[in-house]
Amino acid sequence: MTLTTTRKSDVTWQPLQPRERRWARMGQRPAIAWLTGLSGAGKSTIADAVDRGLTEAGRSTMVLDGDNLRQGLNRDLGFTAADRVENIRRAAEAARLMADAGLVVIVSLISPFRAERAAARAIAGDIPFLEVFIDTPLAVCEARDPKGLYDRARAGKIPNFTGISAPYEAPEAPDLALQTRNQSVMESAQPLIDALLNLSADRPTRA
Ligand SMILES: Nc1ncnc2c1ncn2[C@@H]1O[C@H](COP(=O)(O)OP(=O)(O)O)[C@@H](O)[C@H]1O
Ligand SMILES: [Mg+2]
Protein backbone atom coordinates (compact mmCIF):
# COMPACT_ATOMS: atom_id res chain seq x y z
CA MET A 1 0.00 0.00 0.00
CA THR A 2 1.29 3.44 -0.87
CA LEU A 3 0.57 6.17 1.60
CA THR A 4 0.50 9.68 0.27
CA THR A 5 0.62 12.35 2.89
CA THR A 6 0.08 16.04 2.48
CA ARG A 7 2.21 18.29 4.60
CA LYS A 8 0.29 21.07 6.30
CA SER A 9 2.65 23.57 4.73
CA ASP A 10 1.56 22.37 1.27
CA VAL A 11 -2.02 23.41 1.95
CA THR A 12 -3.01 27.02 1.55
CA TRP A 13 -6.28 28.62 2.63
CA GLN A 14 -8.25 29.60 -0.45
CA PRO A 15 -9.77 33.02 0.15
CA LEU A 16 -13.56 33.24 -0.18
CA GLN A 17 -15.88 36.18 -0.55
CA PRO A 18 -16.74 37.82 2.77
CA ARG A 19 -19.21 35.75 4.79
CA GLU A 20 -21.18 38.90 5.50
CA ARG A 21 -22.34 38.94 1.86
CA ARG A 22 -23.97 35.54 2.27
CA TRP A 23 -25.47 36.55 5.59
CA ALA A 24 -26.88 39.78 4.17
CA ARG A 25 -28.46 37.81 1.31
CA MET A 26 -30.12 35.54 3.88
CA GLY A 27 -31.18 38.43 6.08
CA GLN A 28 -29.86 36.82 9.23
CA ARG A 29 -26.74 36.26 11.28
CA PRO A 30 -25.48 32.76 12.08
CA ALA A 31 -25.10 31.20 15.50
CA ILE A 32 -24.31 27.80 16.97
CA ALA A 33 -26.22 26.29 19.90
CA TRP A 34 -24.38 23.31 21.37
CA LEU A 35 -26.74 21.12 23.42
CA THR A 36 -24.98 18.84 25.89
CA GLY A 37 -26.45 16.43 28.41
CA LEU A 38 -26.99 12.79 29.29
CA SER A 39 -28.72 10.31 27.04
CA GLY A 40 -32.45 10.88 27.46
CA ALA A 41 -31.94 14.40 28.83
CA GLY A 42 -33.98 15.86 25.99
CA LYS A 43 -31.32 17.20 23.61
CA SER A 44 -32.85 15.86 20.39
CA THR A 45 -36.39 16.75 21.46
CA ILE A 46 -35.43 20.31 22.37
CA ALA A 47 -33.25 20.70 19.27
CA ASP A 48 -36.24 19.78 17.12
CA ALA A 49 -38.56 22.17 18.97
CA VAL A 50 -36.03 25.01 18.66
CA ASP A 51 -35.46 24.21 14.99
CA ARG A 52 -39.21 24.32 14.25
CA GLY A 53 -39.70 27.47 16.29
CA LEU A 54 -36.92 29.29 14.45
CA THR A 55 -38.16 28.10 11.05
CA GLU A 56 -41.61 29.40 11.90
CA ALA A 57 -40.03 32.74 12.78
CA GLY A 58 -38.41 32.86 9.34
CA ARG A 59 -34.88 31.78 10.18
CA SER A 60 -32.80 29.33 8.13
CA THR A 61 -31.53 26.56 10.37
CA MET A 62 -29.95 23.12 10.52
CA VAL A 63 -29.79 20.46 13.22
CA LEU A 64 -26.72 18.29 13.68
CA ASP A 65 -27.86 15.40 15.85
CA GLY A 66 -25.26 13.03 17.24
CA ASP A 67 -27.25 9.92 16.36
CA ASN A 68 -27.77 11.08 12.78
CA LEU A 69 -24.13 12.06 12.32
CA ARG A 70 -23.13 8.58 13.42
CA GLN A 71 -25.06 7.18 10.45
CA GLY A 72 -23.13 9.27 7.93
CA LEU A 73 -20.22 11.64 8.50
CA ASN A 74 -19.18 9.82 11.70
CA ARG A 75 -20.17 6.26 10.82
CA ASP A 76 -16.57 5.09 11.24
CA LEU A 77 -16.46 6.17 14.90
CA GLY A 78 -17.32 4.24 18.06
CA PHE A 79 -17.64 5.28 21.68
CA THR A 80 -14.10 5.09 22.99
CA ALA A 81 -12.80 8.34 24.45
CA ALA A 82 -10.69 8.97 21.34
CA ASP A 83 -13.63 8.37 19.01
CA ARG A 84 -15.89 10.64 21.06
CA VAL A 85 -13.32 13.38 20.76
CA GLU A 86 -13.18 12.97 16.97
CA ASN A 87 -16.99 12.77 16.84
CA ILE A 88 -17.19 16.16 18.52
CA ARG A 89 -14.43 17.71 16.41
CA ARG A 90 -16.18 16.75 13.18
CA ALA A 91 -19.54 17.98 14.44
CA ALA A 92 -17.95 21.29 15.42
CA GLU A 93 -16.25 21.68 12.04
CA ALA A 94 -19.51 20.87 10.23
CA ALA A 95 -21.38 23.36 12.42
CA ARG A 96 -18.79 26.00 11.65
CA LEU A 97 -19.14 25.46 7.89
CA MET A 98 -22.91 25.76 8.13
CA ALA A 99 -22.64 28.87 10.24
CA ASP A 100 -20.21 30.43 7.78
CA ALA A 101 -22.89 29.75 5.15
CA GLY A 102 -25.32 31.72 7.34
CA LEU A 103 -27.38 29.09 9.14
CA VAL A 104 -28.42 28.96 12.75
CA VAL A 105 -27.04 25.56 13.73
CA ILE A 106 -28.36 23.48 16.60
CA VAL A 107 -26.03 20.66 17.64
CA SER A 108 -27.37 17.92 19.92
CA LEU A 109 -24.59 15.69 21.10
CA ILE A 110 -23.93 14.17 24.54
CA SER A 111 -20.42 15.68 24.33
CA PRO A 112 -19.48 14.50 27.82
CA PHE A 113 -16.06 16.15 28.12
CA ARG A 114 -15.50 19.79 29.11
CA ALA A 115 -12.32 20.00 27.08
CA GLU A 116 -14.06 18.90 23.90
CA ARG A 117 -16.89 21.37 24.36
CA ALA A 118 -14.27 24.07 24.80
CA ALA A 119 -12.61 22.82 21.61
CA ALA A 120 -15.95 23.06 19.79
CA ARG A 121 -16.27 26.66 20.94
CA ALA A 122 -12.77 27.37 19.70
CA ILE A 123 -13.60 25.86 16.30
CA ALA A 124 -16.64 28.16 16.11
CA GLY A 125 -14.19 31.07 16.25
CA ASP A 126 -16.06 34.37 16.01
CA ILE A 127 -19.44 32.73 15.36
CA PRO A 128 -21.68 33.28 18.42
CA PHE A 129 -21.63 29.98 20.33
CA LEU A 130 -24.02 29.00 23.10
CA GLU A 131 -23.16 26.05 25.30
CA VAL A 132 -26.57 24.82 26.41
CA PHE A 133 -26.74 22.37 29.30
CA ILE A 134 -29.82 20.16 29.12
CA ASP A 135 -29.89 19.76 32.86
CA THR A 136 -31.82 16.57 33.50
CA PRO A 137 -30.76 14.41 36.46
CA LEU A 138 -29.53 10.91 35.69
CA ALA A 139 -32.42 9.36 37.62
CA VAL A 140 -34.95 11.19 35.42
CA CYS A 141 -33.12 10.19 32.23
CA GLU A 142 -33.01 6.63 33.41
CA ALA A 143 -36.72 6.61 34.27
CA ARG A 144 -37.53 8.00 30.82
CA ASP A 145 -35.14 5.67 29.00
CA PRO A 146 -36.76 6.53 25.62
CA LYS A 147 -34.55 4.10 23.71
CA GLY A 148 -34.16 1.39 26.37
CA LEU A 149 -30.44 2.12 26.51
CA TYR A 150 -30.11 2.51 30.31
CA ASP A 151 -31.67 -0.90 30.83
CA ARG A 152 -29.09 -2.43 28.52
CA ALA A 153 -26.24 -0.36 29.96
CA ARG A 154 -27.11 -1.42 33.54
CA ALA A 155 -27.10 -5.01 32.32
CA GLY A 156 -23.54 -4.45 31.09
CA LYS A 157 -24.54 -4.79 27.45
CA ILE A 158 -23.36 -1.33 26.37
CA PRO A 159 -19.77 -0.48 27.25
CA ASN A 160 -18.73 3.15 27.83
CA PHE A 161 -22.28 4.34 28.44
CA THR A 162 -22.27 7.95 29.62
CA GLY A 163 -23.54 8.32 33.18
CA ILE A 164 -23.29 4.58 33.89
CA SER A 165 -19.89 3.31 32.81
CA ALA A 166 -18.38 6.47 31.31
CA PRO A 167 -18.12 9.95 32.83
CA TYR A 168 -20.25 12.99 32.09
CA GLU A 169 -18.63 16.29 32.99
CA ALA A 170 -21.46 18.75 33.54
CA PRO A 171 -20.82 22.29 32.30
CA GLU A 172 -19.52 24.60 35.02
CA ALA A 173 -20.58 27.83 33.36
CA PRO A 174 -23.01 27.09 30.50
CA ASP A 175 -24.40 30.01 28.51
CA LEU A 176 -27.84 28.55 29.15
CA ALA A 177 -29.11 25.74 31.37
CA LEU A 178 -32.50 24.25 30.53
CA GLN A 179 -34.45 22.16 33.02
CA THR A 180 -36.75 19.51 31.62
CA ARG A 181 -38.15 17.87 34.74
CA ASN A 182 -41.86 18.64 35.15
CA GLN A 183 -41.74 21.04 32.20
CA SER A 184 -43.27 20.81 28.77
CA VAL A 185 -40.90 20.61 25.81
CA MET A 186 -41.88 24.13 24.77
CA GLU A 187 -41.27 25.50 28.26
CA SER A 188 -37.78 24.03 28.15
CA ALA A 189 -37.08 25.15 24.58
CA GLN A 190 -38.41 28.72 24.69
CA PRO A 191 -35.40 30.39 26.38
CA LEU A 192 -33.13 28.96 23.67
CA ILE A 193 -35.51 30.02 20.89
CA ASP A 194 -35.51 33.55 22.32
CA ALA A 195 -31.71 33.64 22.62
CA LEU A 196 -31.18 32.41 19.05
CA LEU A 197 -33.79 34.77 17.59
CA ASN A 198 -31.92 37.61 19.24
CA LEU A 199 -28.45 36.47 18.10
CA SER A 200 -29.53 35.80 14.52
CA ALA A 201 -31.43 39.04 13.99
CA ASP A 202 -30.10 40.83 10.92
CA ARG A 203 -28.02 43.82 11.84
CA PRO A 204 -26.71 46.11 9.15
CA THR A 205 -22.92 45.87 8.97
CA ARG A 206 -22.75 49.64 8.42
CA ALA A 207 -24.67 52.07 10.55
N1 LIG B 1 -39.26 19.29 28.89
C1 LIG B 1 -38.79 18.30 28.12
N2 LIG B 1 -37.83 18.57 27.19
C2 LIG B 1 -37.34 17.57 26.43
N3 LIG B 1 -37.72 16.28 26.50
C3 LIG B 1 -38.67 15.95 27.40
C4 LIG B 1 -39.23 16.95 28.25
N4 LIG B 1 -40.15 16.34 29.06
C5 LIG B 1 -40.13 15.04 28.71
N5 LIG B 1 -39.27 14.79 27.72
C6 LIG B 1 -39.05 13.46 27.10
O1 LIG B 1 -37.71 13.05 27.38
C7 LIG B 1 -37.21 12.25 26.32
C8 LIG B 1 -35.91 12.88 25.82
O2 LIG B 1 -35.36 12.08 24.78
P1 LIG B 1 -34.33 12.64 23.72
O3 LIG B 1 -34.74 14.00 23.26
O4 LIG B 1 -34.16 11.59 22.69
O5 LIG B 1 -33.01 12.77 24.62
P2 LIG B 1 -31.49 12.89 24.14
O6 LIG B 1 -31.48 13.37 22.73
O7 LIG B 1 -30.90 13.89 25.10
O8 LIG B 1 -30.89 11.53 24.33
C9 LIG B 1 -38.25 12.24 25.22
O9 LIG B 1 -39.00 11.05 25.34
C10 LIG B 1 -39.11 13.45 25.59
O10 LIG B 1 -40.45 13.34 25.14
MG1 LIG C 1 -30.62 12.47 21.05
Side-chain angles (χ1 to χ4, degrees):
M1 188 169 75
T2 314
L3 277 180
T4 320
T5 57
T6 309
R7 283 183 299 137
K8 270 207 178 129
S9 58
D10 292 339
V11 181
T12 56
W13 174 261
Q14 188 63 41
L16 305 174
Q17 70 167 331
R19 299 172 301 174
E20 287 74 9
R21 295 186 66 191
R22 304 175 203 285
W23 302 350
R25 178 73 186 78
M26 294 173 87
Q28 68 177 41
R29 312 274 300 181
I32 298 171
W34 191 279
L35 279 54
T36 173
L38 295 167
S39 180
K43 301 178 297 298
S44 298
T45 304
I46 290 172
D48 183 56
V50 169
D51 183 38
R52 288 168 188 270
L54 291 176
T55 300
E56 212 153 283
R59 297 296 199 272
S60 296
T61 59
M62 185 56 185
V63 174
L64 294 177
D65 192 88
D67 286 339
N68 294 356
L69 290 180
R70 282 184 178 280
Q71 296 187 36
L73 180 64
N74 294 344
R75 70 190 309 162
D76 56 325
L77 301 176
F79 291 89
T80 62
D83 277 5
R84 284 176 189 266
V85 169
E86 177 60 10
N87 187 44
I88 289 165
R89 189 193 69 80
R90 288 186 202 170
E93 292 284 357
R96 169 63 195 262
L97 290 171
M98 290 176 177
D100 279 345
L103 299 176
V104 178
V105 188
I106 305 139
V107 184
S108 49
L109 210 66
I110 296 175
S111 39
F113 305 127
R114 274 185 206 117
E116 269 61 57
R117 295 193 300 265
R121 185 191 292 277
I123 287 169
D126 61 357
I127 301 288
F129 181 99
L130 296 179
E131 183 178 343
V132 183
F133 181 28
I134 309 302
D135 188 5
T136 310
L138 177 64
V140 175
C141 296
E142 201 166 348
R144 284 180 186 163
D145 205 4
K147 297 178 225 153
L149 295 175
Y150 283 96
D151 249 5
R152 294 180 50 221
R154 288 284 184 202
K157 290 179 189 150
I158 310 178
N160 298 318
F161 193 81
T162 302
I164 305 294
S165 48
Y168 178 76
E169 300 172 355
E172 280 164 341
D175 298 292
L176 206 56
L178 304 177
Q179 314 293 322
T180 72
R181 186 161 38 175
N182 303 322
Q183 288 199 58
S184 73
V185 172
M186 274 321 289
E187 282 170 337
S188 299
Q190 197 62 51
L192 180 54
I193 293 176
D194 293 343
L196 289 173
L197 281 178
N198 188 36
L199 280 175
S200 60
D202 193 19
R203 295 179 200 102
T205 44
R206 277 174 296 166

